[in-house]
């Protein structure tokens, strides 16, 4: 059920004219790089129900990306898959619970995360503002592609049904979910929680909490760079990806979220053209975005969209 943006709020997010051309160029560049997927069994973490693997693949700029891959021990010949995307500071979890529900699941650690920082390590804080004045070298250019390349890893697995792939995450993972659902047509269903990386320049005025405050810190030191920053982040703003999302999607926000302001969540949701979309708002909740209540909704959503062979 759609809900309008509050009447006193107007998003200032504008999509660059060459937005599509920019990302088409990035995708063309990464397509020429061999994925070189690798899976290493992890017997210590494997159980009778779930097989656990350390996974690796190569992304743009030939950065080697780490992930956890879990699959049900007992599964159909072709199983549904989930891509699990991480928060800003949290390390990606081993997705055993998703595997127990019947999904082959890849939990990605994009560049800079603990298991993927040998070639790129801007640190935290700093990821959000690393090369933020240049869209061609901005940290999130590679970070986004690392997430999208996780789909290629899943597609390389013979046990996965390529017609049943979902993506989910919260906070930064929610923002990555939006961009991934937009750019990878293989995604059949998406659930984005408290989406970060949406309405960057609105958010830095609506809140003064971190991580967004990293941009304000940067601008206090480099006030002359404001225009360059605004130009760069427009290419990475989830609101500008939203109009490419056509798969079923649910979004949840906390109405008292002072990390990812709810205004940006409304603006994002209103830009999504998908017919099957639902916004869940949780009054009395902050950046958790009603997680304790919403987890069951996410589970039911993916069960309906992915567990039944179409």
């Amino acid at each position: 059920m759609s809900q309008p943006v509050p009447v006193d709020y107007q998003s200032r997010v504008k999509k660059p004219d060459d937005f599509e051309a920019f990302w088409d160029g990035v995708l063309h560049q990464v397509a020429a790089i061999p994925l070189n997927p690798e899976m290493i069994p992890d017997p210590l973490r494997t159980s009778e129900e779930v097989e656990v693997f350390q996974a690796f693949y190569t992304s743009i700029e030939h950065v080697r990306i780490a992930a956890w891959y879990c699959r049900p021990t007992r599964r159909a010949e072709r199983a549904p898959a989930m891509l699990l995307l991480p928060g800003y500071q949290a390390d990606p979890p081993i997705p055993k619970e998703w595997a127990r529900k019947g999904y082959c699941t890849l939990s990605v650690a994009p560049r800079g995360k603990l298991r993927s920082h040998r070639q790129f390590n801007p640190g935290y804080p700093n990821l959000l503002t690393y090369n933020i004045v240049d869209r061609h070298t901005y940290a999130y250019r590679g970070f986004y592609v690392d997430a999208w390349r996780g789909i290629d890893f899943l597609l390389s697995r013979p046990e996965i049904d390529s017609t049943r792939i979902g993506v989910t995450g919260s906070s930064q993972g929610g923002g990555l979910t939006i961009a991934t659902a937009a750019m990878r047509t293989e995604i059949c269903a998406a659930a984005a929680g408290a989406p970060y990386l949406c309405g960057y320049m609105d958010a830095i005025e609506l809140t003064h909490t971190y991580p967004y405050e990293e941009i304000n810190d940067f601008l206090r030191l480099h006030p002359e760079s404001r225009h360059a920053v605004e130009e760069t982040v427009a290419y990475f703003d989830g609101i500008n990806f939203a109009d490419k999302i056509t798969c079923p999607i649910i979004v949840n926000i906390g109405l008292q979220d002072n990390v990812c302001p709810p205004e940006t969540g409304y603006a994002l949701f209103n830009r999504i053209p998908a017919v099957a979309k639902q916004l869940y708002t949780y009054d009395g909740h902050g950046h958790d975005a009603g997680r304790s209540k919403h987890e069951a909704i996410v589970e039911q959503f993916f069960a309906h969209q992915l567990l039944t062979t179409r």
Side-chain angles (χ1 to χ4, degrees):
M1 181 181 297
S2 298
Q3 298 188 35
V5 174
V7 293
D8 60 347
Y9 172 72
Q10 293 295 323
S11 174
R12 296 184 294 110
V13 177
K14 303 298 181 186
K15 190 170 187 175
D17 292 339
D18 63 343
F19 182 90
E20 309 291 349
F22 171 73
W23 285 111
D24 284 347
V26 172
L27 293 176
H28 179 75
Q29 182 180 343
V30 74
I33 299 172
L35 185 68
N36 292 330
E38 179 184 8
M39 283 173 49
I40 301 173
D42 194 324
L44 181 64
R45 296 175 174 88
T46 291
S47 67
E48 291 184 2
E49 296 176 287
V50 176
E51 295 177 280
V52 179
F53 301 84
Q54 295 186 51
F56 303 90
Y57 57 89
T58 303
S59 186
I60 199 165
E61 295 152 357
H62 297 274
V63 174
R64 196 71 172 154
I65 302 304
W68 292 105
Y69 180 63
C70 294
R71 65 188 183 192
T73 303
R74 290 175 287 278
R75 59 185 181 276
E77 184 179 353
R78 306 280 277 181
M82 289 291 299
L83 181 69
L84 190 61
L85 298 172
Y88 189 67
Q89 289 183 297
D91 284 315
I94 302 172
K96 288 186 175 183
E97 288 306 312
W98 282 105
R100 289 191 183 99
K101 294 180 177 78
Y103 307 90
C104 296
T105 306
L106 187 73
S107 178
V108 177
R111 64 192 62 202
K113 288 293 183 185
L114 183 61
R115 298 172 61 239
S116 301
H117 65 13
R118 292 176 63 184
Q119 295 164 272
F120 177 85
N121 187 18
Y124 297 87
N126 198 34
L127 174 67
L128 184 58
T129 56
Y130 185 87
N131 288 345
I132 197 171
V133 296
D134 182 358
R135 65 183 180 274
H136 299 289
T137 59
Y138 182 40
Y140 273 104
R141 175 178 176 271
F143 208 90
Y144 280 18
V145 174
D146 299 345
W148 304 343
R149 204 100 216 243
I151 298 297
D152 294 319
F153 178 93
L154 290 172
L155 293 172
S156 76
R157 299 302 313 155
E159 66 269 21
I160 285 175
D161 181 346
S162 63
T163 68
R164 293 187 289 158
I165 299 178
V167 60
T168 190
S170 190
S171 191
Q172 178 183 256
L176 293 172
T177 292
I178 294 298
T180 303
M183 297 300 290
R184 296 303 303 249
T185 57
E186 300 90 346
I187 296 296
C188 303
Y196 173 58
L197 306 169
C198 296
Y200 283 69
M201 301 309 292
D202 292 339
I204 65 171
E205 295 181 3
L206 290 164
T207 186
H208 292 285
T209 61
Y210 290 90
Y212 281 125
E213 190 65 8
E214 291 179 33
I215 296 177
N216 285 326
D217 290 343
F218 180 88
L219 292 175
R220 280 188 282 270
L221 287 174
H222 307 284
E224 75 286 353
S225 296
R226 186 177 186 92
H227 181 66
V229 169
E230 290 179 348
E231 283 195 332
T232 297
V233 300
Y235 291 88
F236 299 87
D237 198 308
I239 293 174
N240 287 334
F241 282 98
D243 64 3
K244 295 173 69 67
I245 298 175
T246 58
C247 69
I249 183 169
I250 58 175
V251 179
N252 60 299
I253 61 174
L255 295 183
Q256 285 73 42
D257 191 345
N258 68 346
V259 177
C260 296
E263 291 91 338
T264 63
Y266 279 112
L268 165 73
F269 185 77
N270 283 352
R271 290 273 187 99
I272 296 172
V275 174
K277 66 175 185 175
Q278 178 82 43
L279 177 65
Y280 294 85
T281 60
Y282 290 92
D283 196 11
H285 288 263
H287 195 51
D288 70 293
R291 184 181 298 115
S292 60
K293 303 175 182 178
H294 194 69
E295 283 181 348
I297 294 172
V298 171
E299 182 178 341
Q300 292 166 8
F301 169 75
F302 282 117
H304 175 70
Q305 297 294 335
L306 303 179
L307 285 183
T308 303
T309 304
R310 308 262 169 170

